[in-house]
Amino acid sequence: MSALELIAAALAAGTGAGVTGVASTAVKDAYEQLKALLQHRPRAVKAIAELEGAQAGAETWQARLDGEDFEGDTETLTEARRLLDAMAQVPNWQVNLTRAQGVQFGPGSVQFNDFRS
């Protein structure tokens, strides 16, 4: 993965998580830090202004950032990796609880219900 692809993937993941509301504190912090590191790059500032809040994919981000050279920017690349690592820790569950009763959800959950009344 090139440096540009890494940055684009991280930005897409960070904005997508924020839009869907599944972002953890670690994801939000890493995304904000990545944006702060990109503030001196005109194409990045413009892309963030245009795409933040949208669910744009990595390809869209990559097209908007094309021409920026991230290869030697180790701080920004490290932050992008940190964001993607944080995103990997966010559970990717989708649950339909229509007409559910006595639901407890999550790893290691134990629940005892008695619906005989």
Side-chain angles (χ1 to χ4, degrees):
M1 178 180 285
S2 73
L4 176 60
E5 291 169 331
L6 177 65
I7 301 294
L11 287 168
T15 57
V19 167
T20 59
V22 299
S24 68
T25 302
V27 170
K28 290 175 187 174
D29 291 347
Y31 177 64
E32 290 303 319
Q33 181 62 29
L34 179 59
K35 286 192 324 181
L37 290 170
L38 294 172
Q39 288 304 306
H40 68 282
R41 296 175 176 271
R43 283 191 180 115
V45 171
K46 184 177 179 185
I48 291 168
E50 293 172 356
L51 298 176
E52 191 167 45
Q55 290 198 352
E59 299 82 19
T60 303
W61 281 98
Q62 191 171 341
R64 297 287 174 89
L65 297 172
D66 192 34
E68 289 281 3
D69 181 17
F70 295 105
E71 292 300 330
D73 192 347
T74 57
E75 187 178 14
T76 302
L77 294 173
T78 299
E79 197 59 40
R81 283 187 195 93
R82 186 169 81 95
L83 173 54
L84 291 174
D85 289 345
M87 281 298 299
Q89 301 303 313
V90 175
N92 190 16
W93 298 325
Q94 189 171 32
V95 179
N96 182 348
L97 298 175
T98 305
R99 297 189 198 157
Q101 293 182 348
V103 175
Q104 183 170 344
F105 186 76
S109 294
V110 176
Q111 180 173 344
F112 300 96
N113 297 320
D114 185 355
F115 294 109
R116 291 182 279 168
S117 52

